[in-house]
Amino acid sequence: MKMSDIRKFRNLKAGQRFLFTGVFYTARDQAHKRLSELIREGKKLPFSLEEKIIYYCGPNPGGPDRPIGACGPTTSSRMDALTVPLLNLGLTAMVGKGRRSPAVRAAIKKNKAVYFVTYAGCGALLAERVSSCRIVCFPDLGPEAVYELTVEDFPLITSIDSRGGSIYEPTG
Amino acid sequence: MKTIKPEQIEDKVAALCAQANFRLRPDVLSALKAAAAGPVSAGSREALLAIVRNAEIARRKKLAICQDTGLPVVFAEVGLKAVIDGDFKKAVNKGIKKAYVQNMFRPSIQTDPLGRADRPGFYPGILHVELVPNDRIRLTVMPKGFGSENKAGLKMFNPTASSEELEKFILSVVKNAGPDACPPFIVGIGVGGTQDYAALMAKKALLRPVQRRSRKPAISLWEKSLLKKINKLGIGPLGLGGSPTALAVSVETAATHIAGLPLAVNVSCHALRSAEGII
Ligand code: SF4
């Protein structure tokens, strides 16, 4: 699937695996904290969430011969408490590892979004699927800043689909 | 008496940090390969082979095995007949920093745990020192990822607790780690000692080659039976169901007080990294 297929994500079913070529925005704990503070204060976000894919990832830096270092997913459930407002602002998909809370699952269903997992702990393998990396905002957060990643043939597994179907039992 | 310069310690620690992050431990790699060759589902095999391929790419391309290059835990056995000509702890931290900067590993250490105000950095690591009666320093570096560290568990049992009670707790810790902590796991367990010592044993248990069982026959049997029970949980490689959920269970024990039975579980993800060297 490609970036232009993002509206078709809602047709995916939990368990479906495919390769994706498109754009991810990385965000993990501290970036989520900042985004939710901005939302709470009614301020403009540094990037629009509409039809975007957030990847829970704090990558290793790249070097002269590569755009990025190891860049696998981090545990999604740590972002659970800060996820619902992002979904309500149009976030279409999230990529991470592990389970989500019932509240996130309900918000995914309500907003017709989708949650993917990818090969967890395979940061070197996934680095080969990233063709460019650019900082978007919060540079002071270092690896926790928001980066725009262009990915090619990135492996995704549909974990919670837009109808709320899931490959895992929900947590909590 | 042998004199050891801080630079020697620094260089050794740096080399071990790099080795641990680039080369998956051979015992872990062969356990993963054996699992992939075993009677597992096609989905589990695909996941296991992805993990093996990841380790190969990491080694060949000098990419970190995992983007979480961990909080480096350093175990040092320092010979009493070795004279360290400088500050040992500083040398260890300098070595960590050197490796992490040079190899473009991720700075994952927050020096302000409550305020979280500092920019993540490369050190300090966690240092455990033991004194031994020789003139060498044996260093073991274990960069511990926090996706799995977060799932550790500790419970102070009554000395009369039944083995069923202990197993129930161990299984609940592994179940809670679930798909979040990058299975298949290696489960380290510390039984006895004090609260802190049980936790340390659980972590040290992860240093044992995964194919090697305890020298104590009863413990060895318990390790095998725990592994069977864990593998019945069906969490599976990358948490996608099936088996194996764990590659090994290693239990370390120590003397404890007549009034208690501390038990700690340290879960390691499949990216169990450590490297050892001697000065
Ligand atoms: S749990 Fe282990 S393999 Fe998974 S992301 Fe963390 S360090 Fe990497």
Side-chain angles (χ1 to χ4, degrees), chain B residues 179-254:
Chain B
D180 305 3
C182 300
F185 304 130
I186 296 89
V187 182
I189 297 172
V191 189
T194 48
Q195 176 220 29
D196 53 319
Y197 197 69
L200 181 61
M201 285 191 289
K203 182 149 278 112
K204 277 191 164 174
L206 298 174
L207 295 174
R208 197 203 294 165
V210 299
Q211 289 80 4
R212 193 186 297 162
R213 303 280 50 84
S214 170
R215 282 205 196 92
K216 299 172 188 156
I219 302 293
S220 164
L221 280 178
W222 197 39
E223 290 173 342
K224 287 179 202 156
S225 110
L226 277 170
L227 180 63
K228 273 205 191 114
K229 286 178 184 159
I230 288 170
N231 279 332
K232 286 210 181 100
L233 292 175
I235 300 165
L238 303 183
L240 301 171
S243 103
T245 294
L247 299 173
V249 176
S250 299
V251 180
E252 296 294 330
T253 61

Side-chain angles (χ1 to χ4, degrees), chain A residues 73-74 97 120-121, chain B residues 66-68 145-148 180-182 269-271 273:
Chain A
T74 194
K97 67 167 161 117
Chain B
C66 180
Q67 76 290 338
D68 184 353
F146 256 56
S148 54
D180 305 3
C182 300
C269 49
H270 59 75
R273 289 150 288 176

Side-chain angles (χ1 to χ4, degrees), chain B residues 12-47:
Chain B
K12 186 55 94 184
V13 168
L16 295 173
C17 286
Q19 186 190 329
N21 275 301
F22 286 141
R23 299 185 71 111
L24 190 60
R25 263 168 45 177
D27 59 310
V28 178
L29 192 58
S30 71
L32 286 163
K33 284 182 178 164
V40 293
S41 70
S44 295
R45 182 163 305 116
E46 187 188 321

Side-chain angles (χ1 to χ4, degrees), chain A residues 17 28 30 58-63 66 68-73 75 77-78 97-99 117 119-125 127-129 139-143 157 167-168, chain B residues 43 46 50-51 53-54 57-58 60-69 104-107 116 119-120 147 150-151 175-182 238-240 270-271:
Chain A
R17 301 176 182 211
R28 47 176 291 154
Q30 300 304 326
N60 283 20
R66 55 181 168 232
I68 202 165
C71 57
T75 309
S77 60
R78 291 200 317 275
K97 67 167 161 117
R99 299 158 291 196
V117 295
Y119 290 168
C122 298
L125 182 149
E128 294 204 313
R129 310 294 171 95
D140 59 304
L141 293 180
I157 301 160
I167 60 169
Y168 305 131
Chain B
E46 187 188 321
I51 298 168
R53 203 160 65 239
N54 180 68
I57 294 169
R60 195 160 32 85
K61 293 198 148 185
K62 288 208 162 206
L63 274 160
I65 294 164
C66 180
Q67 76 290 338
D68 184 353
T69 43
M104 318 281 274
F105 294 153
R106 191 180 76 182
R116 300 265 150 183
R119 193 184 166 117
N150 277 339
K151 306 293 183 180
K175 206 169 167 202
N176 176 53
D180 305 3
C182 300
L238 303 183
L240 301 171
H270 59 75

Side-chain angles (χ1 to χ4, degrees), chain A:
Chain A
M1 286 183 111
K2 293 194 294 290
M3 201 66 216
S4 52
D5 296 323
I6 193 159
R7 294 211 176 120
K8 293 188 200 147
F9 279 7
R10 62 174 62 193
N11 303 327
L12 291 165
K13 285 205 180 66
Q16 277 186 304
R17 301 176 182 211
F18 63 98
L19 298 175
F20 177 70
T21 297
V23 176
F24 289 166
Y25 287 79
T26 68
R28 47 176 291 154
D29 308 68
Q30 300 304 326
H32 272 77
K33 202 171 161 202
R34 289 207 187 164
L35 291 174
S36 49
E37 273 159 16
L38 290 170
I39 293 171
R40 205 176 319 120
E41 291 161 6
K43 295 203 177 121
K44 191 173 178 300
L45 297 183
F47 66 103
S48 153
L49 291 168
E50 252 172 88
E51 300 202 341
K52 295 280 164 45
I53 304 167
I54 280 191
Y55 180 27
Y56 302 134
C57 173
N60 283 20
D65 53 344
R66 55 181 168 232
I68 202 165
C71 57
T74 194
T75 309
S76 308
S77 60
R78 291 200 317 275
M79 268 53 79
D80 279 352
L82 303 169
T83 295
V84 177
L86 307 191
L87 286 167
N88 290 340
L89 284 176
L91 177 67
T92 301
M94 298 148 291
V95 180
K97 67 167 161 117
R99 299 158 291 196
R100 306 306 305 258
S101 68
V104 168
R105 189 162 160 180
I108 287 173
K109 197 173 162 188
K110 187 184 127 211
N111 291 290
K112 295 264 164 276
V114 59
Y115 166 59
F116 300 111
V117 295
T118 185
Y119 290 168
C122 298
L125 182 149
L126 295 173
E128 294 204 313
R129 310 294 171 95
V130 176
S131 57
S132 79
C133 170
R134 175 183 79 84
I135 190 149
V136 176
C137 57
F138 313 143
D140 59 304
L141 293 180
E144 295 207 66
V146 174
Y147 297 92
E148 184 191 86
L149 308 186
T150 310
V151 303
E152 280 165 27
D153 291 337
F154 197 95
L156 294 179
I157 301 160
T158 311
S159 175
I160 302 178
D161 63 35
S162 66
R163 290 169 213 88
S166 172
I167 60 169
Y168 305 131
E169 289 165 34
T171 51

